[in-house]
Amino acid sequence: MTAFSAIHDERESDKDDFTPGVEPQPTWCPGCGDFAVLKALKGAMPELGRSPEEVLLVTGIGCSGKLSSYFESYGYHAIHGRALPVARASKLANPGLEVVAAGGDGDGYGIGGNHFMHTARENHDMTYIVFNNEIFGLTKGQTSPTSPKGHKSKTQPSGSAKDPVRPLTLSLASGASYVARTAATNPRQAQQILAEAIEHDGFAHIDFLTQCPTWNKDAKEYVPYTDIQQSDEFEFDVEDRREAADMMYEAETKLYEGEVLTGRFYVDSDRPSYGEEKRATGEMPEEPLAERRAGRTPRLGRRGRPCAAAVGRGEVPFSIRKIFFPIGQRRCV
Amino acid sequence: MFTHRHYPSRIRGGHTYVEVRADDEPVRSRGDGFNFLLALGDSFARNPDDEAYYGKEELKPLYEHFDDLNEGGVIVYDEGLLDEADVTETDLQAEADENGWHVYPMDLRGIAREHGREVMRNTAGVGATAAVLDIDTGYFEELIRDAMSEEVAEANVETLEAGYEAAREFEFTHDLRAPEGSHDTEQALMGGSAAIAYGALDAGCRFISGYPMTPWTDAFTIMSQNLPQFGGISEQVEDEIAAASLAIGASHAGVKAMSGSSGGGFALMSEPLGLAEMTETPVVLLEAMRAGPSTGMPTKPEQADLEHVLYTSQGDSCRVVFAPANVREAYEQTRKAFELAYDYHLPAIVLYDQKLGGEMRSVPAEFFDREPDPDPGAVLTEDEIAEAAHDNSGKFKRYAFEGGENGVNPRSIPGQEGGRFLATGNESQEVGHITEDPDHRTMQMNRRMAKLDHIREELDDRERSHQTYHGPADAEHGILVWGRRRRSSAGSSRRSWAALAPG
């Protein structure tokens, strides 16, 4: 019997199930793109038949980090840049959980860049939504890793001398098996892509363009946008790594020229997720680790004693004595 | 039996040695000086230049230990490797005459080449040691056969016997013999890192995440090699911030989890450590101290990180720190760390050093004959959650202002029906929503910090406390120590009061 009856629960849900009661109401500014992420997530979860208590939403710090406050599920509002390591361990501990991580462009591509690279490399079965507004919003308008070159801000008053991060290219190079970009101005596509990403078995990264009307007035509202899957102008194979790389480079360049290209950029459905890969090496249990805590396993050991604790099921497949007790009873010298 | 290992912080070469102290009475520290020296010499990293700082390293096993070799001591050195001219330069003969040392030069390299391979010089040296100290080579043979493949073992056993026989050719002039005695019970030879790992496994730990760093790597390695056999998971990750964060994530999802590092890596864990305190996520962290600051001396022990682990991370500390003094305590206190972390929902740290981690000691095997502890600590079942307080949107009051037993609010685990809540590094209301209300802040701070009072009460129990003193209760002066230094301090204070005692 499972200790987690919310997992794989067959009950139907709707977006209201993912909405908190009277409070808290989102405190994002009017016109903020973050609302669109919340809406898309609330729409995608019931579409996939998920219920609030089988979802763990792990967020970082920033305006984006507040998502876990306004979305009704298990939540973990971690520290700046560290949503991914918390999230991926939870998934390893209990693969039955639907794990979604979210943060901003500073959180994911700046301070948490190392975790982003490695979580993508390992292809953990989870979804990562990056609210990309090309600015630090919560700290009131400093240049972010995705701010365009020349962008003037309080901390770079003469304009940024840095080229922005190319998040899609970075993601592909790191090893993400699903890479997409959507925009707050395109709610239908956003929900579709989010649902696909959540269903995807592997690390799904969504660069979600969320305009900041307060601190990044220069930035476009991400309109007009072009869906690269719908447009005749772009013909490329989303499963081909090289073609995807070219498409990403073009989209990243054009964003700063005022053309917003959105859609799926890379999809690799064949690559096994990290959990599967690790299980294949024999270093990940078949049964969710989190389930084990419910059972108090009897003390097992070869030849009686001494033995280590709770060894799951069946015989201890090795002699712990050999590792910990290299010397048996013999004359003391 | 008590051992100490010394190795330089270098890729290859340098003077590496192991001390073994054995007696028919219990031994608790390295002690002062030694009686027998087997000097194998260094087979590489020589610098022929006379001006070279590191110089003739192959001679270090000899002259580095002159100060510590007791009067009447015995030296066996490999004359196959150390040139006679070089040895003469160290004034070995003059030193030996002055101190009454007995010196037996042997061509260990030649013996190894003849019976096995040159790399087996050490086995030839062990054979010679057995002859000089009158130890039955059968013990060593058993160990060799246990550790090596048949072919390699055969060559080693042959080399062992040859070394033994070659040493027997000398007319021994020394009186030193290995002490004889026997234990009533089976003994385990175990180091602190293994004891910590063993304690963690017995405490039900099934998840470890880490990044390699000397000397913490030992414990991480032992856990990584063993956890899969227990159905657990080990993750080597990109850095120590991730390492501690993963342990927190696994623990949040309902698994007993740990991470750890040495000083420099532990510095990176400051941030997640504070997160665990604020979100009240149980986690156990190890800190294997080495000489600092910064990179310092990676393979050398130092005990300068106590304040670091007590206070690192912003705000008030809400954690428990254990500093075991020996192998037994390393096992027991690691178990206790898990117990407190999971019962009280806070981080618990086990602070030790390179010395305790690596020293091998004989401990009665029955000491480890304990019941395992798979108890997940203060966690609710789904039935209990259904009875617990929720807010109007159905969120579970994980952080209820009024703490439960011992100030602790039992937690729910993601995936449990009815248990959803928000864990946050911000100050929070009862269900986890962010708050800056002064009353909320006061109530939550008081509740979290009150857990420490309960823990103090629990640890202050004379039966369970590890605080202890040696010597007369009315002593005028005392030495206050913590952690691993207790044993050597106890030894020296015993000598001090013996010296000061009237008559």
Side-chain angles (χ1 to χ4, degrees):
Chain A
M1 204 194 104
T2 177
F4 304 102
S5 54
I7 293 175
H8 305 312
D9 185 0
E10 298 295 320
R11 265 178 311 179
E12 286 199 0
S13 60
D14 62 32
K15 67 176 172 43
D16 291 339
D17 293 322
F18 294 93
T19 309
V22 228
E23 279 183 321
Q25 294 297 315
T27 53
W28 294 314
C29 308
C32 174
D34 294 4
F35 286 101
V37 184
L38 179 62
K39 190 168 176 232
L41 195 59
K42 281 183 186 176
M45 285 298 180
E47 188 185 319
L48 301 169
R50 301 290 186 272
S51 65
E53 278 162 346
E54 65 182 324
V55 177
L56 176 63
L57 175 62
V58 185
T59 54
I61 296 294
C63 297
S64 57
K66 301 285 191 280
L67 185 73
S68 51
S69 293
Y70 312 140
F71 182 78
E72 189 74 10
S73 72
Y74 277 97
Y76 203 105
H77 183 218
I79 35 182
H80 199 29
R82 321 298 171 206
L84 287 174
V86 172
R88 73 195 208 222
S90 299
K91 183 69 182 182
L92 288 172
N94 195 350
L97 289 172
E98 190 59 74
V99 176
V100 178
D105 45 285
D107 198 281
Y109 307 146
I111 190 168
N114 196 18
H115 309 309
F116 175 55
M117 182 172 90
H118 287 275
T119 312
R121 169 173 80 97
E122 293 168 9
N123 198 31
H124 289 267
D125 181 16
M126 54 184 280
T127 307
Y128 185 39
I129 308 166
V130 181
F131 296 52
N132 183 0
N133 59 6
E134 306 173 41
I135 200 80
F136 281 97
L138 194 63
T139 47
K140 304 192 186 302
Q142 299 80 16
T143 311
S144 94
T146 51
S147 298
K149 197 173 189 174
H151 177 85
K152 287 185 182 174
S153 74
K154 292 175 181 174
T155 48
Q156 267 132 324
S158 309
S160 168
K162 299 174 186 181
D163 274 321
V165 162
R166 292 177 173 272
L168 307 174
T169 303
L170 179 66
S171 188
L172 180 74
S174 301
S177 52
Y178 183 101
V179 185
R181 170 175 271 173
T182 186
T185 44
N186 190 359
R188 247 177 68 181
Q189 185 206 47
Q191 183 173 323
Q192 274 170 8
I193 282 184
L194 223 59
E196 269 178 42
I198 293 164
E199 281 291 82
H200 177 76
D201 186 15
F203 186 71
H205 165 224
I206 300 161
D207 187 70
F208 204 124
L209 298 170
T210 51
Q211 72 282 353
C212 177
T214 306
W215 301 107
N216 200 7
K217 289 189 171 49
D218 297 345
K220 45 265 143 205
E221 292 275 311
Y222 303 119
V223 278
Y225 60 85
T226 307
D227 185 326
I228 53 172
Q229 264 81 34
Q230 304 294 325
S231 165
D232 295 337
E233 202 186 324
F234 304 99
E235 288 238 345
F236 82 108
D237 181 358
V238 78
E239 293 179 359
D240 185 294
R241 186 169 272 277
R242 283 164 193 275
E243 290 184 27
D246 285 345
M247 189 66 241
M248 287 173 178
Y249 197 87
E250 190 176 344
E252 285 159 346
T253 307
K254 287 204 162 143
L255 182 67
Y256 299 109
E257 293 165 359
E259 192 177 348
V260 184
L261 304 181
T262 63
R264 299 117 186 112
F265 285 80
Y266 183 63
V267 182
D268 180 353
S269 310
D270 296 331
R271 187 179 168 202
S273 70
Y274 181 66
E276 286 172 60
E277 297 272 24
K278 198 168 170 80
R279 202 166 284 120
T281 68
E283 295 196 355
M284 169 121 175
E286 293 290 334
E287 181 197 9
L289 201 46
E291 290 278 9
R292 286 164 173 264
R293 74 184 179 84
R296 299 192 181 198
T297 41
R299 196 142 192 274
L300 294 174
R302 296 246 277 248
R303 284 169 285 173
R305 72 173 172 88
C307 73
V311 279
R313 313 191 154 161
E315 191 81 15
V316 190
F318 77 116
S319 170
I320 193 164
R321 299 171 54 86
K322 193 163 175 181
I323 292 149
F324 291 114
F325 298 91
I327 291 199
Q329 183 170 4
R330 45 173 78 103
R331 188 181 63 153
C332 171
V333 291
Chain B
M1 174 112 61
F2 192 96
T3 73
H4 164 71
R5 61 179 179 156
H6 173 105
Y7 49 101
S9 319
R10 282 167 55 173
I11 298 164
R12 301 179 77 209
H15 180 34
T16 300
Y17 63 88
V18 176
E19 284 177 18
V20 179
R21 192 175 177 212
D23 201 345
D24 51 6
E25 293 291 314
V27 282
R28 295 190 173 87
S29 71
R30 284 171 73 181
D32 295 325
F34 46 84
N35 304 307
F36 174 79
L37 172 66
L38 170 65
L40 290 168
D42 191 348
S43 54
F44 45 70
R46 295 176 184 216
N47 189 336
D49 192 332
D50 285 344
E51 301 290 306
Y53 173 71
Y54 287 114
K56 291 176 176 156
E57 295 217 44
E58 69 274 21
L59 285 173
K60 282 191 178 174
L62 258 184
Y63 67 72
E64 284 269 302
H65 297 287
F66 281 178
D67 288 348
D68 295 323
L69 189 60
N70 292 338
E71 215 165 285
V74 181
I75 298 176
V76 172
Y77 74 86
D78 189 354
E79 63 175 349
L81 196 82
L82 305 181
D83 299 337
E84 204 185 329
D86 286 340
V87 173
T88 310
E89 232 175 78
T90 65
D91 290 329
L92 174 62
Q93 199 51 53
E95 292 273 354
D97 289 345
E98 191 182 324
N99 294 294
W101 292 341
H102 306 266
V103 185
Y104 305 112
M106 292 181 65
D107 183 8
L108 298 174
R109 176 154 76 166
I111 293 169
R113 276 181 178 164
E114 191 188 333
H115 298 274
R117 286 183 290 128
E118 180 166 338
V119 72
M120 297 172 191
R121 287 191 305 122
N122 54 353
T123 308
V126 171
T129 306
V132 169
L133 299 181
D134 194 19
I135 306 170
D136 185 351
T137 53
Y139 300 120
F140 301 112
E141 189 180 331
E142 202 181 315
L143 284 175
I144 288 170
R145 292 197 190 281
D146 200 37
M148 301 172 191
S149 68
E150 204 177 319
E151 202 182 320
V152 181
E154 204 50 55
N156 269 285
V157 169
E158 212 176 292
T159 309
L160 176 83
E161 295 298 343
Y164 183 85
E165 293 305 330
R168 298 278 293 179
E169 307 262 311
F170 286 101
E171 262 185 46
F172 292 146
T173 53
H174 65 277
D175 299 326
L176 182 70
R177 297 292 180 273
E180 273 200 49
S182 64
H183 287 284
D184 299 336
T185 58
E186 188 179 23
Q187 298 291 301
L189 188 64
M190 190 184 257
S193 297
I196 286 170
Y198 195 33
L201 288 170
D202 264 358
C205 174
R206 291 296 178 269
F207 187 97
I208 192 167
S209 44
Y211 185 91
M213 185 170 186
T214 304
W216 121 272
T217 310
D218 281 356
F220 184 35
T221 307
I222 297 167
M223 285 301 283
S224 300
Q225 287 171 350
N226 286 282
L227 264 179
Q229 321 287 338
F230 292 81
I233 294 176
S234 167
E235 276 288 290
Q236 186 181 318
V237 298
E238 59 269 24
D239 60 34
E240 286 88 352
I241 306 176
S245 300
L246 263 96
I248 289 169
S251 175
H252 183 67
V255 178
K256 282 188 171 175
M258 72 190 293
S259 181
S261 189
S262 292
F266 195 86
L268 269 71
M269 296 185 170
S270 298
E271 222 191 347
L273 180 62
L275 179 70
E277 290 176 321
M278 196 58 159
T279 58
E280 300 182 68
T281 310
V283 68
V284 172
L285 302 175
L286 305 181
E287 214 263 60
M289 292 178 284
R290 65 190 217 185
S294 190
T295 309
M297 296 195 286
T299 64
K300 300 291 176 283
E302 188 175 83
Q303 300 82 29
D305 292 355
L306 179 60
E307 307 250 332
H308 177 47
V309 302
L310 279 173
Y311 303 118
T312 187
S313 197
Q314 64 275 31
D316 289 323
S317 292
C318 189
R319 67 192 70 166
V320 184
V321 178
F322 289 93
N326 53 42
V327 169
R328 292 176 197 227
E329 286 187 6
Y331 171 85
E332 280 185 332
Q333 294 186 11
T334 304
R335 287 195 64 157
K336 192 70 190 167
F338 274 95
E339 193 186 316
L340 292 180
Y342 281 80
D343 280 353
Y344 289 91
H345 297 167
L346 39 68
I349 297 159
V350 180
L351 181 67
Y352 63 109
D353 64 7
Q354 181 265 358
K355 176 77 182 68
L356 174 58
E359 72 186 21
M360 302 284 275
R361 294 210 43 188
S362 49
V363 180
E366 64 189 12
F367 171 80
F368 298 100
D369 202 5
R370 315 286 183 96
E371 282 303 310
D373 182 20
D375 191 293
V379 175
L380 295 178
T381 63
E382 290 189 336
D383 290 343
E384 288 165 340
I385 292 170
E387 300 293 314
H390 289 71
D391 77 353
N392 56 11
S393 76
K395 264 199 163 76
F396 163 58
K397 293 191 175 179
R398 159 76 178 92
Y399 302 105
F401 295 132
E402 197 68 43
E405 196 188 341
N406 294 339
V408 180
N409 292 318
R411 58 186 181 135
S412 61
I413 304 291
Q416 280 183 317
E417 185 74 36
R420 67 180 183 272
F421 70 97
L422 177 66
T424 171
N426 288 65
E427 190 56 271
S428 72
Q429 301 172 21
E430 295 189 296
V431 295
H433 290 314
I434 294 167
T435 182
E436 291 187 335
D437 182 298
D439 291 338
H440 292 171
R441 167 69 173 176
T442 308
M443 284 189 282
Q444 294 292 39
M445 274 301 282
N446 287 345
R447 186 181 56 76
R448 283 193 299 267
M449 299 311 281
K451 294 190 289 189
L452 292 180
D453 296 332
H454 293 281
I455 291 172
R456 260 184 225 107
E457 226 165 79
E458 185 174 336
L459 287 178
D460 214 17
D461 179 341
R462 187 80 198 161
E463 292 283 298
R464 308 172 77 169
S465 173
H466 294 284
Q467 294 168 26
T468 185
Y469 67 87
H470 300 269
D474 57 351
E476 271 184 52
H477 303 282
I479 309 171
L480 180 66
V481 293
W482 56 270
R484 202 261 304 159
R485 285 172 299 181
R486 197 175 81 208
R487 288 300 178 185
S488 39
S489 305
S492 59
S493 64
R494 223 174 269 128
R495 275 202 304 278
S496 313
W497 80 68
L500 293 170

